[in-house]
Amino acid sequence: MTFTFVTLFSNLIEGYFHDSILKRAMEKNLFSVKYLNPRDFSTNKHSKVDDTAFGGGAGMVMNPQPLFDALDSLREEDENVHIVFMTPVAKPFVQNDAKRLAKKSHVAFVSGRYEGIDERVIEKYADEVFSIGDYILTGGELASLVVCDAVSRNIEGVLGNSASLEVESFETPLLEAPSFSKPKLYEALGVPSEYLKGNHSKIRSLKLALSESKTKFFRPQELKKHKATQKLS
Ligand code: SAM
């Protein structure tokens, strides 16, 4: 699996892969990361990549030419590359998207900057567009990293224990039950006693009840979905 970040600012991204789980996964060749800078493709004598917007409006817009040429070169190199644009106006990225994208051989993330990207680039090259939430970031690099991180932990072998994927929140309508670690008592705050007794069937029942109450609090609609599927089965 290859991830390509199409960005003017690869240095904002690189450090994230220098440590922890994703670094180890790259060392095991489970995926690799490449960078493509649209500025390297600019035919402007000053390597400009942006200009004022037609129709007025504040701020600059990323020009088509450097991005068209960068993305053509990417597609020439690998016709199977799946090109994803990050934009706040798109459908929100969710866990199912992460699982689906983890099965691709090559995903490229295109990061906008300034006031965004000339719409013609998105229309011509986007296989998919995602938002990471209803707020505006200064650029797409953080959004691309968020999506890449969520995708990469669904690549076989990236997580030491793949069982941890199965019980996580968003795998089912229920959110994951609360977790606790040592010590049993910290600043007078204890751990639910059933967690400590080793009776796995009782622990499972308690975790289910806690999952339900957490979901009821944070995602009441999802709890309704869970109850409806239980009635059907
Ligand atoms: N003018 C745009 C608008 O109002 O929709 C916002 C542009 S934003 C300042 C610059 C770039 O950051 C975007 O092209 C996109 O790549 C990225 N970006 C900002 N917020 C984002 C979000 N919530 N999700 C995904 N990408 C985002």
Side-chain angles (χ1 to χ4, degrees), residues 95-106:
Q95 182 68 8
N96 270 341
D97 298 315
K99 287 159 81 172
R100 189 169 47 76
L101 291 183
K103 298 195 178 91
K104 306 265 179 213
S105 58
H106 187 176

Side-chain angles (χ1 to χ4, degrees), residues 62-79:
M62 287 177 75
N63 298 134
Q65 181 274 316
L67 279 163
F68 267 51
D69 288 359
L71 295 172
D72 279 343
S73 85
L74 193 60
R75 281 238 162 99
E76 262 161 41
E77 203 180 290
D78 180 1
E79 61 180 15

Side-chain angles (χ1 to χ4, degrees), residues 173-225:
L174 287 186
L175 301 175
E176 189 177 17
S179 304
F180 300 92
S181 183
K182 291 171 185 115
K184 290 177 192 169
L185 197 65
Y186 188 72
E187 295 203 352
L189 296 169
V191 173
S193 58
E194 216 62 75
Y195 272 55
L196 306 173
K197 289 184 193 155
N199 181 327
H200 292 292
S201 132
K202 284 193 174 166
I203 293 173
R204 252 196 317 276
S205 311
L206 176 63
K207 281 193 167 180
L208 179 62
L210 293 175
S211 271
E212 287 183 349
S213 53
K214 210 174 181 183
T215 312
K216 187 175 178 188
F217 185 77
F218 287 112
R219 309 281 173 112
Q221 287 308 322
E222 293 299 305
L223 184 65
K224 279 188 193 155
K225 267 193 220 164

Side-chain angles (χ1 to χ4, degrees), residues 86-89 110-117 130-140 143:
M86 306 311 305
T87 159
V89 301
V110 186
S111 296
R113 275 271 149 184
Y114 319 119
E115 278 315 305
I117 294 174
F130 286 123
S131 161
I132 62 156
D134 290 349
Y135 40 79
I136 305 292
L137 301 164
T138 50

Side-chain angles (χ1 to χ4, degrees), residues 134-172:
D134 290 349
Y135 40 79
I136 305 292
L137 301 164
T138 50
E141 287 75 11
L142 268 180
S144 300
L145 262 182
V146 165
V147 172
C148 179
D149 181 297
V151 172
S152 52
R153 66 202 300 287
N154 283 281
I155 297 172
E156 176 119 30
V158 168
L159 292 188
N161 179 1
S162 60
S164 46
L165 281 173
E166 287 157 27
V167 295
E168 275 178 327
S169 306
F170 312 118
E171 287 305 313
T172 70

